[in-house]
Amino acid sequence: MKALTQRLSQEQMALLPTDEDVAFYEEHGWYISQKVIPDEIIDEAILGSEKFYRGERDATLPYKTGYSDWQPGDGNAVRNNQHVSYRKKELRKLLHPMIGAIAAKLARTRGIRLFEDTLVYKAPTINEGEGVVGWHTDYSYSSNCTSNKMLSAWIPFHDTDVYRSPLVVIDGSHKWSGTEHMRSFNNQNLKEIENTFAQEGRKIVEVPIIMKKGQVSFHHSLTIHGSYPNHSNLPRLAFALYLQDYDNRYQPFWNNGKQIHHFLDRMCRKLPNGYPDYSDPAIFPVLWTE
């Protein structure tokens, strides 16, 4: 697959973060863009998502384990499918140069590549407590990455208010220590997880990310985040992109004596030393480069 970069128009350049926006991101660990994704691209992604859920694929992953991949019958409280842009062309269009350009400015890097993506659907809540995404950091799922500047883009496919399960970030938590391995995505007890990172002197401020269709939010890989149940009467559908800055590379990582591998390590090309190449454009396409 080719790199997806293209030049921005003057109108698009005007939508990039200002220096003050970058300073806000560095202080708080999150940022909300202006409307940068055209409605027609999102509407096409919605149709592509519906096709994907019906089992239609433009490409398939060569193996079936090691990643989240909701299937009919798994329940609708939270549908979680990874690396969908590789498998459905309509979702691939969301690897948009505006997202890459914004991320590059926030991370102060000259290039942005995809690391992985996740399509997440939440049905309206039936039973209280279901449909929660637990507090976690994205960094904790990328221990094989050398960078501490990676960040995520979150793209709701519709207006998202506080009732329709917005992304929720813990303000300023990217500056805290001890959260690098917070893998609590599937733990629905938010208070229980909070007790693991609550410390004297830490002010825990939950910020629901309220956005209009076409806006994109960004958060640092170490920003603690999750989401509440979907209390609206409509499904919530969103796409999350986990993004590499230009300098990110693979590094071996062990946990309790066991070497950890990311599920995409087996798909991408290898470097001369045998390590996975996290700049392989077939698996980790470039969204933006100067």
Side-chain angles (χ1 to χ4, degrees), residues 35-39 41-42 94 96 98-99 155 213-214 216:
K35 181 180 173 68
V36 294
I37 304 299
D39 285 352
I41 290 180
I42 296 178
L94 287 172
H96 196 279
M98 274 299 294
I99 293 177
I155 313 164
K213 180 180 177 181
V216 180

Side-chain angles (χ1 to χ4, degrees), residues 49-61:
S49 301
E50 293 170 351
K51 293 177 182 179
F52 182 86
Y53 290 137
R54 291 198 299 266
E56 297 181 30
R57 304 288 187 271
D58 300 308
T60 57
L61 299 177

Side-chain angles (χ1 to χ4, degrees), residues 204-218:
I204 298 175
V205 179
E206 299 179 13
V207 181
I209 303 298
I210 307 304
M211 293 192 292
K212 294 291 186 180
K213 180 180 177 181
Q215 290 183 286
V216 180
S217 73
F218 296 79

Side-chain angles (χ1 to χ4, degrees), residues 78 120 122 129-136 154 164-169 185 187-188 190 225-230 236:
V78 179
V120 185
K122 284 191 182 186
E130 71 178 7
V132 172
V133 170
W135 300 128
H136 65 282
W154 194 74
R164 204 172 179 181
S165 191
L167 182 76
V168 183
V169 299
F185 185 98
N187 184 341
Q188 297 190 327
L190 295 178
H225 62 287
S227 62
Y228 307 142
N230 180 8
R236 191 270 265 168

Side-chain angles (χ1 to χ4, degrees), residues 248-263:
N248 182 57
R249 297 292 184 270
Y250 169 86
Q251 65 179 0
F253 181 79
W254 285 264
N255 183 29
N256 294 324
K258 179 182 178 181
Q259 187 169 3
I260 303 301
H261 300 281
H262 191 274
F263 76 93

Side-chain angles (χ1 to χ4, degrees), residues 53-222:
Y53 290 137
R54 291 198 299 266
E56 297 181 30
R57 304 288 187 271
D58 300 308
T60 57
L61 299 177
Y63 43 89
K64 297 184 178 297
T65 61
Y67 56 97
S68 295
D69 202 25
W70 175 91
Q71 300 293 325
D74 290 345
N76 290 319
V78 179
R79 301 180 186 176
N80 193 36
N81 297 86
Q82 289 182 275
H83 221 56
V84 177
S85 67
Y86 182 87
R87 297 187 276 169
K88 205 74 196 75
K89 61 186 179 182
E90 295 90 345
L91 277 297
R92 185 173 173 78
K93 292 183 179 180
L94 287 172
L95 307 185
H96 196 279
M98 274 299 294
I99 293 177
I102 292 170
K105 190 156 188 183
L106 294 174
R108 299 184 186 269
T109 182
R110 64 187 182 93
I112 289 289
R113 303 185 300 272
L114 179 69
F115 188 66
E116 65 175 79
D117 60 60
T118 307
L119 179 66
V120 185
Y121 171 103
K122 284 191 182 186
T125 298
I126 297 176
N127 300 310
E128 188 59 36
E130 71 178 7
V132 172
V133 170
W135 300 128
H136 65 282
T137 60
D138 293 333
Y139 183 93
S140 66
Y141 295 97
S142 58
S143 301
N144 292 118
C145 292
T146 58
S147 176
N148 60 4
K149 296 172 65 176
M150 291 172 68
L151 68 168
S152 297
W154 194 74
I155 313 164
F157 289 177
H158 42 69
D159 294 354
T160 306
D161 61 22
V162 71
Y163 301 104
R164 204 172 179 181
S165 191
L167 182 76
V168 183
V169 299
I170 305 295
D171 190 65
S173 56
H174 64 306
K175 295 183 174 183
W176 299 349
S177 61
T179 63
E180 297 87 351
H181 304 295
M182 185 180 292
R183 298 183 180 92
S184 311
F185 185 98
N186 294 314
N187 184 341
Q188 297 190 327
N189 190 330
L190 295 178
K191 192 63 180 178
E192 178 183 83
I193 307 169
E194 181 182 318
N195 291 336
T196 69
F197 59 79
Q199 294 182 11
E200 185 176 355
R202 284 184 178 174
K203 187 176 182 181
I204 298 175
V205 179
E206 299 179 13
V207 181
I209 303 298
I210 307 304
M211 293 192 292
K212 294 291 186 180
K213 180 180 177 181
Q215 290 183 286
V216 180
S217 73
F218 296 79
H219 59 269
H220 191 281
S221 62
L222 284 168

